[in-house]
Amino acid sequence: MANYLLALSREDGHEALGQAIDEVGAQFPDDHARSVLPGGWRLDWLARHATGDLMPEGQGLFTGVAYDDDAEGLYFGRSGWGSRGARVWADDDLPGCHVIGSWRGDRLRVTTDLYRMMPLFTTSAAGLVLVSDSAALLLRLRRRLGLPCTPDATVIGAMRWPNAMSAQLMSTRTPVQEITYVAVGQRVEVDLTDPCARAEVVTRPMREVFAWDGQSYGDTIRHGASRIASIIHTVATLGPEAARLSLSGGKDSRICLAAALLSPVGRDSARFTCTNTLPQHQRDAEVVQQLSETFGFPLGSRFPAVPRSAEIWRVRDPMGLWSLDSALTYYPVKLQAYGLRAKGQFAIAGFGSELYKGNYGLRSVKTIADSIATRFPDMAEDFDATCSDYLTRVGIDPADPLSAEWHYLGMRNALHGGRFVPVSKLGIRPLQQRSLVGLSKLAAQDRPAEMSGPKDITEDLMATMGPALAAHPFDRPAKDRDPEWVTERLRVIGGALTSDDLSTYAVHGDPETVQDGPVPALSALGADGQEPGAITRERVQARFEVAAAAVGDSDFATDWVQIVDDARLELADPAVPVGQARGMAGRVLSLGELLR
């Protein structure tokens, strides 16, 4: 995502890295901060307005936003995080979108938010540790330092499977053997007493991170719903249109709508919109308009009409940012190329309900591998090895009936769900609730009697937060529920929530201090020398041919020739979106990034 780089190096080594960082730091001094650590280590932090991220006592850093449902707190920037006192050193990751570094005593730790909306990659050599949200930046720095960049043939083989599941990383292994993705439940640690230290990836088992607390089913649903509504309510209290909800005709965004309407502040100040206005999404627009009229909330801005250009800023080099942000990790060639000028406005989305309802069909990874093998046996083998390696690392048996859903939690949910991060850290996914995730991953024999399967969770969240909304027609009749069904589910759950069930979280820090958007120092440090500009078909085609030539001259040429040819045809076809969801052209661009 090209938001940050933490470089830890010995002061008596890796002079080339220090020189490169000093050069961009001199050019963009506000984006560079430095700290001297015990044991002769130098820490360089590159981020937007980096100097504002270092903790005053000099033992840590924080950038972004976090929230703590248990403590009922919302934390903005370094000052907000510092208000937690001794709890800033706690091991338990929190949701939000942030980076945390700490170096108390003789160990350094780096982690990001619980669900990895802010990605975390690391690479190292003796006496050198690099941590960033951009795997492409780490690759380019390794090349600059003359360090090996070895293709991982198994990961690259799995990339060939033409499916949305493989449209981003599928393991903590990346296409570069020396670069590691640090997934949900993991963090980076470094032993500062060892002059030759490398990054250590410390892992908590996923079932431990997302253990269900054993409450009754109804209490778990109501407690999760209360937290969802409370965080949306709290964001709404930050000011008019601080909470911004984009609605569709489906269920996920309507759960967020129900939560917002539970709050009088949310009803009166949130901004509700429907961006699905193209002809193919006509039903979405119709349903949202009906919801607005029936439930009495306005669509569009509450402020006087202003030109769109006055509300937003635009990314100057979307193609270059995609390359730095997404190459090697997320393959569809598309990027949100604008951000909001006003600070403190949260984009609230229903993304995250897939954690409960089964985005991959409530299957095992082994089952998916077997289905791939019927058409692509060699790809299936690489897919199985790649996914199984990750699952085993985090304590999940690849043959477990829900292993594909655990895989979704660690990979797709993070890398696809965090697409707002290149331009903003103020995106919130309130449906990502730890207790509900744990409930959804119970084996069939361990589920509460009131729960027939994980898909019940989203249905019951909808019912308990907005009974009337739950009974209102959706975009497809298969989703519709009649009032009698809603009444019965409320009996099982224990009744509907009211505004009295909401909490207003304490707000610490100021949204104005949360810096986001492309980082000039990182763009300079990771420049690839290719033509900058917008993501256009012509520009992508030009970069594609450079990458295709590199692939054609490599050991992967035979396996990839059909993919390259098909992706070239897709790029030439105006009926196929440049950023199509499977990201086949982006896979070639990513492999070319490694091989060129």
Side-chain angles (χ1 to χ4, degrees):
M1 307 295 179
N3 270 275
Y4 68 92
L5 171 69
L6 186 151
L8 184 68
S9 59
R10 297 283 299 174
E11 293 184 302
D12 54 359
H14 301 288
E15 291 84 358
L17 174 67
Q19 181 179 353
I21 290 176
D22 288 342
E23 287 175 358
V24 298
Q27 187 178 0
F28 305 102
D30 199 33
D31 293 348
H32 180 214
R34 181 185 298 170
S35 185
V36 177
L37 273 58
W41 292 90
R42 158 181 167 168
L43 182 141
D44 290 282
W45 172 249
L46 277 74
R48 196 168 183 86
H49 300 286
T51 51
D53 297 333
L54 295 186
M55 303 297 283
E57 66 272 23
Q59 291 185 312
L61 62 88
F62 181 92
T63 181
V65 59
Y67 60 96
D68 186 334
D69 290 308
D70 291 330
E72 297 189 346
L74 179 61
Y75 308 93
F76 292 102
R78 179 190 71 186
S79 63
W81 186 247
S83 70
R84 289 174 61 83
R87 287 180 299 168
V88 300
W89 311 110
D91 290 341
D92 199 24
D93 294 336
L94 295 177
C97 182
H98 55 261
V99 185
I100 305 169
S102 61
W103 41 93
R104 298 185 81 186
D106 57 7
R107 291 192 74 80
L108 175 139
R109 292 180 178 180
V110 186
T111 190
T112 65
D113 54 89
L114 173 61
Y115 295 97
R116 287 293 182 266
M117 296 296 98
M118 180 68 76
L120 182 61
F121 295 89
T122 190
T123 190
S124 31
L128 172 69
V129 175
L130 302 176
V131 181
S132 178
D133 58 335
S134 168
L137 176 62
L138 298 184
L139 171 63
R140 295 171 191 179
L141 286 175
R142 287 190 67 89
R143 281 207 188 102
R144 188 165 183 167
L145 297 174
L147 297 173
C149 302
T150 312
D152 187 320
T154 302
V155 173
I156 291 167
M159 287 170 63
R160 294 181 295 141
W161 180 41
N163 186 277
M165 182 178 179
S166 59
Q168 67 283 303
L169 280 181
M170 294 189 291
S171 177
T172 52
R173 291 164 60 179
T174 75
V176 189
Q177 288 186 19
E178 294 82 8
I179 299 174
T180 298
Y181 175 51
V182 185
V184 176
Q186 299 182 316
R187 64 174 180 263
V188 175
E189 293 197 5
V190 182
D191 180 0
L192 299 177
T193 66
D194 180 359
C196 297
R198 298 172 182 258
E200 305 169 30
V201 177
V202 177
T203 302
R204 288 178 65 197
M206 290 281 265
R207 293 187 190 279
E208 177 184 310
V209 177
F210 295 97
W212 182 47
D213 58 13
Q215 296 185 77
S216 73
Y217 177 75
D219 286 346
T220 301
I221 293 295
R222 289 175 56 80
H223 189 53
S226 175
R227 286 179 161 184
I228 291 167
S230 292
I231 190 62
I232 293 177
H233 163 74
T234 301
V235 168
T237 66
L238 298 176
E241 298 195 2
R244 302 166 69 95
L245 287 79
S246 180
L247 306 176
S248 71
K251 191 157 294 182
D252 299 346
S253 70
R254 194 177 299 187
I255 296 173
C256 291
L257 171 64
L261 296 182
L262 260 182
S263 161
V265 178
R267 178 181 288 276
D268 292 342
S269 70
R271 178 169 175 167
F272 305 96
T273 59
C274 178
T275 57
N276 291 346
T277 55
L278 296 176
Q280 60 266 40
H281 298 297
Q282 180 180 354
R283 180 58 181 158
D284 280 307
E286 291 173 352
V287 171
V288 172
Q289 184 63 46
Q290 292 167 4
L291 290 171
S292 170
E293 294 169 358
T294 302
F295 295 95
F297 62 89
L299 289 176
S301 178
R302 297 173 184 270
F303 298 135
V306 295
R308 179 71 167 155
S309 59
E311 284 192 313
I312 64 175
W313 57 268
R314 296 191 179 277
V315 174
R316 295 180 62 182
D317 180 18
M319 190 71 242
L321 184 58
W322 179 87
S323 180
L324 193 62
D325 166 77
S326 298
L328 305 177
T329 59
Y330 185 82
Y331 308 128
V333 188
K334 55 185 176 183
L335 184 86
Q336 183 174 318
Y338 64 88
L340 295 170
R341 293 186 183 278
K343 301 291 284 186
Q345 295 184 337
F346 278 80
I348 299 174
F351 189 91
S353 69
E354 295 88 349
L355 294 175
Y356 327 137
K357 63 189 181 185
N359 197 69
Y360 290 158
L362 302 175
R363 297 178 290 172
S364 72
V365 160
K366 292 295 185 184
T367 300
I368 296 175
D370 289 344
S371 69
I372 299 170
T374 61
R375 293 183 60 201
F376 310 109
D378 54 342
M379 294 183 198
E381 185 176 343
D382 288 332
F383 166 88
D384 191 5
T386 299
C387 296
S388 295
D389 180 82
Y390 160 66
L391 289 168
T392 301
R393 288 176 188 271
V394 297
I396 303 296
D397 182 348
D400 183 286
L402 291 178
S403 62
E405 305 309 327
W406 284 109
H407 187 277
Y408 179 90
L409 167 60
M411 295 293 148
R412 176 77 173 172
N413 182 74
L415 293 166
H416 180 62
R419 299 314 302 157
F420 60 91
V421 173
V423 295
S424 175
K425 297 186 182 77
L426 300 186
I428 197 166
R429 306 292 185 248
L431 302 191
Q432 298 183 147
Q433 289 289 321
R434 194 189 307 241
S435 61
L436 298 178
V437 172
L439 178 63
S440 73
K441 301 298 182 286
L442 293 175
Q445 66 271 18
D446 297 329
R447 292 171 189 156
E450 302 90 341
M451 176 182 166
S452 62
K455 295 182 180 182
D456 289 351
I457 295 174
T458 50
E459 299 274 8
D460 291 339
L461 286 174
M462 183 77 258
T464 193
M465 285 193 283
L469 282 163
H472 190 86
F474 289 88
D475 53 350
R476 296 201 301 272
K479 299 178 184 179
D480 293 350
R481 299 291 180 264
D482 57 44
E484 292 74 21
W485 180 91
V486 174
T487 299
E488 173 57 22
R489 290 312 296 175
L490 286 176
R491 185 193 65 78
V492 170
I493 300 164
L497 295 183
T498 71
S499 59
D500 292 337
D501 295 302
L502 308 188
S503 297
T504 303
Y505 291 8
V507 177
H508 305 274
D510 187 344
E512 291 284 345
T513 67
V514 178
Q515 303 295 332
D516 43 31
V519 182
L522 294 183
S523 297
L525 191 63
D528 63 1
Q530 299 197 62
E531 179 190 6
I535 296 176
T536 63
R537 192 173 298 274
E538 295 72 23
R539 187 167 282 111
V540 173
Q541 286 175 314
R543 290 192 176 221
F544 177 89
E545 293 304 331
V546 173
V551 175
D553 291 337
S554 75
D555 294 339
F556 302 99
T558 301
D559 287 342
W560 278 72
V561 63
Q562 191 63 53
I563 293 169
V564 170
D565 289 346
D566 290 347
R568 182 181 285 116
L569 289 174
E570 288 180 344
L571 280 176
D573 185 351
V576 179
V578 172
Q580 53 101 345
R582 292 181 304 159
M584 300 313 293
R587 298 174 203 234
V588 177
L589 290 171
S590 292
L591 183 55
E593 170 78 23
L594 170 56
L595 298 174
R596 65 183 175 86

